[in-house]
Amino acid sequence: MTKAAELRQKDVPGLEAEIKSLQKAHFGLRMQKATQQLGNTNTLRTTRRDIARAKTILAEKQAAK
């Protein structure tokens, strides 16, 4: 789980890279769930919320420009 304070320290390209990696991880988890290989389905929820958290901070930084 990524903390909001850690994300706020990153610049815009760093946040975009973080979002891309989180989305890739979330896709992998969804594929594991579809093939019934995912043991802990709570990780889907946490990655989805991490993506939302990163997108929110990215939007705040872009609005501040």
Side-chain angles (χ1 to χ4, degrees):
M1 182 175 168
T2 48
K3 301 274 185 196
E6 295 171 13
L7 292 172
R8 288 188 197 283
Q9 293 173 352
K10 295 187 178 194
D11 55 348
V12 172
L15 279 172
E16 289 171 345
E18 180 75 19
I19 291 169
K20 187 165 276 218
S21 71
L22 284 169
Q23 286 176 331
K24 193 173 256 190
H26 187 68
F27 179 78
L29 289 171
R30 285 186 6 234
M31 291 302 109
Q32 285 181 9
K33 183 177 185 249
T35 58
Q36 297 178 355
Q37 296 174 343
L38 185 62
N40 185 5
T41 55
N42 192 38
T43 54
L44 284 168
R45 179 180 181 211
T46 55
T47 54
R48 191 172 64 242
R49 288 185 176 195
D50 286 344
I51 292 168
R53 188 175 296 116
K55 282 185 175 182
T56 300
I57 293 170
L58 178 64
E60 288 173 359
K61 285 187 182 260
Q62 289 174 337
K65 283 186 180 178

